[in-house]
Amino acid sequence: MGSDLVFSWDSPRLGLSPHTLGGDIVSGESIGYGAGDIRVLEGWEAVRKRPGMYIGSTGERGLHQLVFDVADRAVTEVLTGRTNRVDVAVTPDGGVRVADDGPGIPVEDGGDTGGPGLEALLTRQLVGPRPGGRHDVTLGWFGAGLFEANALSSRTTAEVRREGFRWVQEYARGVAVTPLSNAGPASGSGTTITFWPDAEIFGTAQCSFDTLAERFRELAFLNRDLEISLTDRRRPDQSRSERFRSPGGARDFVAFLDAQAAAPVHPDVIGFDREDPRMAGTMEVALRWRDSGMERLRSFANSRPTSGGTHEAGLRDGMADVINAYARKRRLLRATDPDLGADRIGEGLTAVVSVKLDRPEFQGSTREVLGNPEVATCVRQAVREHLGTWLEEHPESATAVIDRIVRSGRRD
């Protein structure tokens, strides 16, 4: 995705003219083209020519993607223990500022991380897998990074406080317009990236505070160590600000989702987290049954929302295994009753399953389905063990859950 091939419509070798209608060729001349008719667009030029390929949209959704592209580097710094907090602000003039208190991006290639320096991150499209593994977060759908955000901004300012000095560099539409300069001593450390989305690309589209807040809140639920704030200063008389932190993790997420729902069948949220070397990663699961309503299952891989996959399959199969076994053991199912299926078990259920993998594999045209086969086995086994223990230790709540599932099935 680093380059585009562009053909000139008025090339005599193509035998076409700008006035060709409907794709019909009316000339009797032979048609041909060669290398001289091809123009290769690379770097920032390719991104600006085809922005939808990199951020999905040139509307509001694309603006949000720019924010996520800049913020995910800072969030990954938190999850790797290199920083404590991330602050995101929409400025009065429509810019977006993302700041963290980490060690600061190295100002030169190599540095202490062995990776690209500041200017390389902002002006070169980096290829290959990102090094963070299970700690690497992609906030949006595309994970394009600082380079694409810079290319699609009319102006970008980068400030790095590192090793006692403050470094500043300015960019315009993907190109550095000032050298990286030492602006004097600095207290503390960190990186601040401020960018102004280009009106030539996005027109009058504006960021939605609520959409950004929803994603950052979700991210805090999925990463207990993360503290992230969002501030909107576009209207001084109506400034908005929220800070997100969730020590309870996925359990807090389920409670949040249930806040406006029907009464729960059992008061406590069932939850656990576990590391499993067989899937080279960790899992966190939380769930609770409500007295009515459809199933609400939210799944994530490396903090990225998914719409199915092996982690969901493992959760469903594990619940079915242990609930049917418990119901048979306690004679809550008649001998003639069939096993409870996943659809019946899921009625009224609110659940979150989140896995973080060193090598996640995504499937589907939009890469929203987790494909790692070993994850299904690991999650299924863990759910059987932890949910089975909860059922045994809470017999009254267990009976209430299974009675509700059985009764709803018999009503059908």
Side-chain angles (χ1 to χ4, degrees):
M1 294 173 64
S3 62
D4 284 335
L5 301 181
V6 178
F7 297 87
S8 174
W9 277 102
D10 57 359
S11 170
R13 299 177 63 109
L14 284 174
L16 301 176
S17 77
H19 306 292
T20 300
L21 298 178
D24 294 327
I25 300 172
V26 297
S27 171
E29 299 178 9
S30 62
I31 300 172
Y33 62 88
D37 302 298
I38 301 174
R39 181 184 173 204
V40 180
L41 301 180
E42 296 182 320
W44 62 267
E45 192 177 16
V47 176
R48 292 183 63 82
K49 184 70 175 179
R50 301 283 188 270
M53 291 177 59
Y54 299 87
I55 60 170
S57 165
T58 56
E60 185 178 286
R61 182 185 177 208
L63 281 180
H64 298 151
Q65 183 63 45
L66 291 194
V67 179
F68 298 148
D69 284 344
V70 176
D72 67 5
R73 183 209 61 83
V75 170
T76 296
E77 291 276 274
V78 174
L79 303 185
T80 54
R82 293 164 58 86
T83 185
N84 296 314
R85 55 182 283 180
V86 178
D87 297 305
V88 180
V90 184
T91 64
D93 58 357
V96 179
R97 179 179 295 114
V98 179
D100 66 70
D101 60 353
I105 296 175
V107 294
E108 296 180 351
D109 291 350
D112 59 358
T113 64
L118 177 66
E119 186 168 345
L121 284 173
L122 283 157
T123 59
R124 299 182 206 159
Q125 186 175 40
L126 305 176
V127 298
R130 303 194 329 184
R134 71 186 69 177
H135 301 298
D136 192 5
V137 172
T138 301
L139 274 66
W141 292 108
F142 296 87
L146 295 177
F147 164 67
E148 281 82 356
N150 187 29
L152 297 175
S153 296
S154 59
R155 175 187 166 205
T156 302
T157 300
E159 176 186 313
V160 174
R161 301 175 307 284
R162 183 179 174 87
E163 298 175 346
F165 294 97
R166 177 173 169 264
W167 299 84
V168 178
Q169 190 166 25
E170 299 278 345
Y171 304 82
R173 296 180 171 89
V175 179
V177 294
T178 67
L180 179 64
S181 60
N182 186 332
S187 59
S189 63
T191 301
T192 301
I193 304 292
T194 308
F195 62 96
W196 287 262
D198 195 343
E200 292 182 5
I201 303 293
F202 299 100
T204 59
Q206 295 187 358
C207 289
S208 163
F209 180 92
D210 292 336
T211 299
L212 295 176
E214 180 181 4
R215 181 62 176 131
F216 292 147
R217 180 185 298 110
E218 182 178 82
L219 205 63
F221 284 137
L222 299 171
N223 301 279
R224 301 182 189 189
D225 294 332
L226 176 63
E227 181 178 351
I228 185 168
S229 70
L230 174 64
T231 303
D232 187 348
R233 299 193 177 100
R234 285 174 292 188
R235 300 182 62 178
D237 57 330
Q238 295 182 6
S239 180
R240 300 176 64 184
S241 183
E242 288 194 50
R243 182 169 298 278
F244 307 104
R245 182 173 175 80
S246 177
R251 288 183 178 88
D252 286 350
F253 201 168
V254 168
F256 174 80
L257 294 173
D258 274 352
Q260 305 297 324
V265 176
H266 51 99
D268 53 327
V269 177
I270 307 164
F272 69 89
D273 56 86
R274 170 188 284 190
E275 181 171 5
D276 194 323
R278 294 175 298 170
M279 67 180 205
T282 63
M283 69 184 81
E284 184 174 12
V285 175
L287 52 94
R288 181 167 62 182
W289 277 271
R290 309 179 311 280
D291 193 49
S292 64
M294 301 291 290
E295 176 187 82
R296 292 189 295 181
L297 171 58
R298 303 286 298 275
S299 65
F300 302 86
N302 290 34
S303 300
R304 175 177 177 165
T306 50
S307 59
T310 51
H311 51 340
E312 286 193 19
L315 172 64
R316 296 183 193 280
D317 290 344
M319 289 192 301
D321 291 344
V322 71
I323 287 177
N324 279 294
Y326 186 88
R328 299 286 183 194
K329 177 182 175 181
R330 298 285 179 167
R331 292 186 172 85
L332 300 174
L333 282 175
R334 296 190 293 251
T336 57
D337 287 336
D339 278 351
L340 301 170
D343 54 341
R344 290 173 63 182
I345 292 172
E347 186 176 344
L349 175 71
T350 301
V352 172
V353 54
S354 170
V355 297
K356 295 173 183 174
L357 309 172
D358 290 338
R359 295 174 296 278
E361 299 172 3
F362 294 100
Q363 300 174 343
S365 59
T366 56
R367 294 174 57 81
E368 297 178 20
V369 178
L370 184 68
N372 299 64
E374 66 279 5
V375 170
T377 300
C378 296
V379 173
R380 182 176 188 171
Q381 179 180 332
V383 169
R384 280 203 309 256
E385 293 175 8
H386 287 275
L387 182 55
T389 298
W390 183 87
L391 293 172
E392 293 291 346
E393 293 179 351
H394 302 81
E396 291 185 4
S397 293
T399 299
V401 168
I402 296 175
D403 276 350
R404 186 198 173 284
I405 295 172
V406 172
R407 283 187 284 103
S408 67
R410 287 173 179 163
R411 285 198 304 268
D412 296 341

